[in-house]
Amino acid sequence: MTHDLYLDLRGIAKEFGSFTALKNINLQIRKGEFVCFLGPSGCGKTTLLRIIAGLEVQTRGDIFQDGKDISTLPPAQRDYGIVFQSYALFPNLSVADNVAYGLVNRKTPKAQVRQRVTELVKLVGLPGSEPKYPGQLSGGQQQRIALARALATRPGLLLLDEPLSALDALERVRLRGEIRALQQQLGVTTIMVTHDQEEALSVADRIVVMNHGVIEQVGTPTEVYREPASPFVADFVGKANVIQGEVRDGTLHAGGFRFGGSGENRSVRVYLRPEDVLARPIAEGDPHVFDASIDKIDFLGSYCHVHVSTPTVAPQGLMVYLSLNYLAEHSLQVGSPLRLRLLEERVKVF
Ligand code: ATP
């Protein structure tokens, strides 16, 4: 971690009057990494991004960027480009002038500015758009130009504050793919704030899951999804079935099943992802098989979210994913009985 450490947040805290928005945030980000700050509304993710940008001043703590202490530098003296949620382009400036903004501020020679602008609008997939005005562009196109503007001065750090949340679903997915591809092509260290777990899982190298001003977990998308560090993370990232259980005499009892496991006697909550409840193949003699019946089928295309009732395992029922083909093959519909199996090795106990 240390040799390619790029951004180092040490003990960052932020108080607004008596309200604590951030508590002792420690985080290291490597050069070239794409990191997402993920969390529910009000968890402090935007405040943390704004502190990194110098747009908000931390109450305590230090920030080092590329080995340099930037803790008290004003925004203009920091090395980053930023894209905000709502299109923050200057409406009275053309695309070319918007993209050129930072370069002109740095007194870059005119010919060089023009060349760089041409290069940037091409990079974000909008070649030839230089003479247009923001009002003539779609939301997605405006965000692409905002991205070009943020990258114009070749900053060491790209900060994205919910850049996709004002766009429609299709455009959001398309642009997030483009942002990721661009980020990898340029190798620019990037932080994106989002409250959308799917977005974070699909683009990030690492996800910082935040809640009430603290970091709950930092990990790769797979780690955060597969090995959530807390019930909050398990609930917030992906879907989870919850089964009440207890550890008794070194064995976990939950949903009428016994699982291997250990630890002292206590009540626990057992988390299991929908995809870890399987309809097939049911192995002979598998101890974690149970009967259920279908309550509800949410048709989502090739896969369906199927809610089953199974009073012996979980009074509130369980969610499983079944393919449309599987449902059709077995003529399953609401009210149908089916046998299911829990994947013991995926059971997560809190
Ligand atoms: P959202 O997605 O809704 O923006 P967030 O996780 O980004 O949520 P922040 O905007 O960082 O949350 O805000 C964190 C907390 O700090 C919130 O409870 C917010 O009300 C509070 N807060 C933010 N800015 C200020 C301010 N200038 N004065 C007082 N409280 C603030």
Side-chain angles (χ1 to χ4, degrees):
M1 168 63 82
T2 46
H3 67 285
D4 56 357
L5 174 64
Y6 185 72
L7 193 70
D8 190 5
L9 307 182
R10 300 188 194 165
I12 298 291
K14 178 66 183 176
E15 282 144 25
F16 294 107
S18 62
F19 176 76
T20 302
L22 294 171
K23 275 175 237 172
N24 192 31
I25 300 286
N26 291 289
L27 179 67
Q28 282 85 42
I29 295 176
R30 287 184 285 265
K31 202 174 185 74
E33 246 191 321
F34 195 132
V35 169
C36 279
F37 293 171
L38 174 69
S41 181
C43 71
K45 53 197 189 299
T46 300
T47 301
L48 187 58
L49 192 84
R50 291 175 60 83
I51 287 172
I52 294 167
L55 300 171
E56 200 82 73
V57 178
Q58 67 275 25
T59 310
R60 279 181 298 284
D62 298 303
I63 310 171
F64 293 82
Q65 182 176 352
D66 210 8
K68 182 173 149 194
D69 186 351
I70 61 161
S71 310
T72 57
L73 286 187
Q77 286 175 35
R78 298 192 188 194
D79 177 24
Y80 67 87
I82 190 163
V83 177
F84 297 99
Q85 167 178 348
S86 48
Y87 327 117
L89 295 176
F90 305 111
N92 54 330
L93 295 186
S94 66
V95 163
D97 290 342
N98 265 288
V99 175
Y101 192 77
L103 298 167
V104 172
N105 270 350
R106 292 185 176 197
K107 314 222 181 320
T108 312
K110 259 195 181 143
Q112 221 171 303
V113 171
R114 210 172 310 122
Q115 191 192 349
R116 179 84 180 127
V117 167
T118 308
E119 190 181 304
L120 282 159
V121 291
K122 212 151 115 200
L123 191 68
V124 298
L126 292 168
S129 63
E130 291 94 323
K132 292 196 176 156
Y133 281 81
Q136 296 170 281
L137 303 176
S138 73
Q141 289 171 332
Q142 289 187 46
Q143 286 305 67
R144 286 177 178 81
I145 295 303
L147 195 60
R149 183 176 64 177
L151 292 168
T153 57
R154 303 180 204 276
L157 184 62
L158 178 62
L159 303 176
L160 308 169
D161 187 5
E162 305 237 16
L164 307 172
S165 59
L167 307 176
D168 68 55
L170 254 178
E171 185 63 3
R172 219 154 53 212
V173 170
R174 194 179 309 144
L175 189 50
R176 84 178 181 215
E178 289 177 26
I179 290 176
R180 176 57 167 162
L182 198 59
Q183 185 271 339
Q184 288 191 313
Q185 184 189 334
L186 302 175
V188 59
T189 310
T190 299
I191 303 174
M192 180 164 91
V193 165
T194 180
H195 60 264
D196 182 336
Q197 44 111 2
E198 185 193 301
E199 201 166 286
L201 290 171
S202 80
V203 300
D205 291 313
R206 283 194 304 156
I207 299 177
V208 176
V209 187
M210 298 178 63
N211 187 28
H212 292 310
V214 300
I215 294 178
E216 292 260 343
Q217 186 171 8
V218 182
T220 64
T222 315
E223 282 164 358
V224 165
Y225 186 80
R226 277 271 206 247
E227 298 296 331
S230 65
F232 172 81
V233 177
D235 274 328
F236 192 75
V237 182
K239 294 208 182 311
N241 289 302
V242 183
I243 304 171
Q244 293 302 328
E246 58 173 341
V247 176
R248 231 185 304 128
D249 307 325
T251 306
L252 168 63
H253 300 262
F257 298 115
R258 290 155 59 108
F259 298 93
S262 57
E264 51 200 66
N265 291 356
R266 66 193 195 282
S267 308
V268 292
R269 292 186 357 128
V270 173
Y271 282 72
L272 196 62
R273 299 282 184 209
E275 66 271 28
D276 298 330
V277 182
L278 302 182
R280 74 172 166 190
I282 306 278
E284 229 15 79
D286 189 316
H288 302 113
V289 171
F290 60 97
D291 290 306
S293 73
I294 296 181
D295 271 349
K296 187 165 175 278
I297 300 176
D298 282 333
F299 174 63
L300 295 169
S302 65
Y303 264 79
C304 298
H305 289 186
V306 178
H307 192 269
V308 301
S309 64
T310 169
T312 57
V313 179
Q316 75 282 20
L318 295 174
M319 158 93 96
V320 298
Y321 298 152
L322 296 175
S323 76
L324 195 55
N325 286 343
Y326 186 85
L327 290 169
E329 224 172 274
H330 296 82
S331 311
L332 294 174
Q333 49 195 307
V334 171
S336 300
L338 79 167
R339 301 213 90 187
L340 296 169
R341 164 180 170 230
L342 304 182
L343 274 183
E344 173 172 14
E345 63 273 25
R346 289 286 163 66
V347 159
K348 187 83 197 144
V349 180
F350 293 107

